[in-house]
Amino acid sequence: QKEVEQNSGPLSVPEGAIASLNCTYSDRGSQSFFWYRQYSGKSPELIMFIYSNGDKEDGRFTAQLNKASQYVSLLIRDSQPSDSATYLCAGLEGGKLIFGQGTELSVKP
Amino acid sequence: EAQVTQNPRYLITVTGKKLTVTCSQNMNHEYMSWYRQDPGLGLRQIYYSMNVEVTDKGDVPEGYKVSRKEKRNFPLILESPSPNQTSLYFCATCDSSYEQYFGPGTRLTVT
């Protein structure tokens, strides 16, 4: 069974800090990874995707992929209360997205 | 505006009463899928469709049916709902870069 694992949290950080969200995956065949943000009661929305080893930056968000360690992370710099949400990691394998359980992030003013 | 619509948004029903949740997209995407989301279990794929008249089972297909008679629509059918199908359901479409676009969700309660 291919798996994507996340710590469910909640992860609590103060406003302005860096939030670090982590994800591990079991299938070495997974090539691309996606980070989604989901506010309570709403549908997931895509933040970033990454398919190459290393870092990918987009504004306050940085995705990191380490294929050797089967590890994906999302860093949120200068965290804001509006970043409080559940963050879903997903891996693409064989044309299918496998989602982790999600990590709940709370940014305290 | 590109969008995925689902109806109904909220539904309370009783065990065994057939129901259909509709999903429609205006992005001309070939790939559509249905997920259910439960606390602690994340998003799990129920069924997906690569194109018209092409459907396949996801991870949790038991108790569900789908059809894809036209590109824009992908209804989810529960022939005989049971309480363990109480969940939040999302329809999604996928473009060629595998970015998923989710509908607003349907919260189903089966008593």
Side-chain angles (χ1 to χ4, degrees):
Chain A
Q1 177 79 13
K2 301 180 178 70
E3 291 185 346
V4 175
E5 298 283 343
Q6 294 181 256
N7 187 325
S8 61
L11 173 66
S12 183
V13 300
E15 183 174 357
I18 296 175
S20 177
L21 303 158
N22 305 314
C23 174
T24 59
Y25 59 97
S26 63
D27 190 347
R28 288 191 177 274
S30 296
Q31 293 298 313
S32 301
F33 296 88
F34 300 77
W35 282 100
Y36 286 83
R37 176 177 62 199
Q38 185 178 23
Y39 292 112
S40 181
K42 302 295 185 182
S43 55
E45 54 182 337
L46 182 69
I47 301 174
M48 293 184 71
F49 68 90
I50 185 168
Y51 54 86
S52 298
N53 267 330
D55 296 358
K56 180 180 180 182
E57 188 174 317
D58 184 1
R60 295 187 296 114
F61 299 94
T62 299
Q64 299 174 320
L65 174 59
N66 184 323
K67 292 188 178 182
S69 301
Q70 296 177 243
Y71 180 92
V72 188
S73 65
L74 180 70
L75 302 178
I76 307 175
R77 289 181 299 281
D78 188 24
S79 295
Q80 301 297 309
S82 58
D83 294 325
S84 297
T86 295
Y87 289 80
L88 303 169
C89 171
L92 180 65
E93 171 58 27
K96 183 178 172 181
L97 274 182
I98 308 295
F99 283 87
Q101 310 93 307
T103 298
E104 183 184 349
L105 173 66
S106 177
V107 181
K108 304 294 187 184
Chain B
E1 180 191 352
Q3 59 180 357
V4 180
T5 58
Q6 292 179 229
N7 281 293
R9 296 288 313 281
Y10 303 90
L11 179 60
I12 300 174
T13 189
V14 296
T15 298
K17 185 176 181 182
K18 181 180 178 180
L19 67 92
T20 298
V21 184
T22 64
C23 174
S24 182
Q25 53 109 352
N26 64 1
M27 291 171 277
N28 204 37
H29 289 165
E30 293 180 344
Y31 188 104
M32 298 184 73
S33 60
W34 276 102
Y35 295 88
R36 61 177 289 174
Q37 188 173 37
D38 303 288
L41 297 177
L43 280 163
R44 294 180 293 167
Q45 191 179 54
I46 303 171
Y47 268 94
Y48 64 97
S49 170
M50 303 288 282
N51 212 329
V52 176
E53 302 291 1
V54 180
T55 62
D56 210 343
K57 297 177 181 178
D59 296 317
V60 288
E62 294 77 20
Y64 304 94
K65 287 175 60 176
V66 293
S67 68
R68 187 89 182 274
K69 292 182 168 47
E70 50 190 339
K71 201 172 191 178
R72 63 181 290 122
N73 295 323
F74 190 44
L76 179 69
I77 303 155
L78 284 72
E79 295 269 3
S80 182
S82 62
N84 65 11
Q85 292 178 298
T86 293
S87 188
L88 178 59
Y89 291 87
F90 289 104
C91 177
T93 71
C94 187
D95 64 17
S96 56
S97 62
Y98 294 102
E99 178 175 349
Q100 301 247 347
Y101 298 82
F102 287 86
T106 295
R107 188 166 293 281
L108 172 65
T109 302
V110 184
T111 62

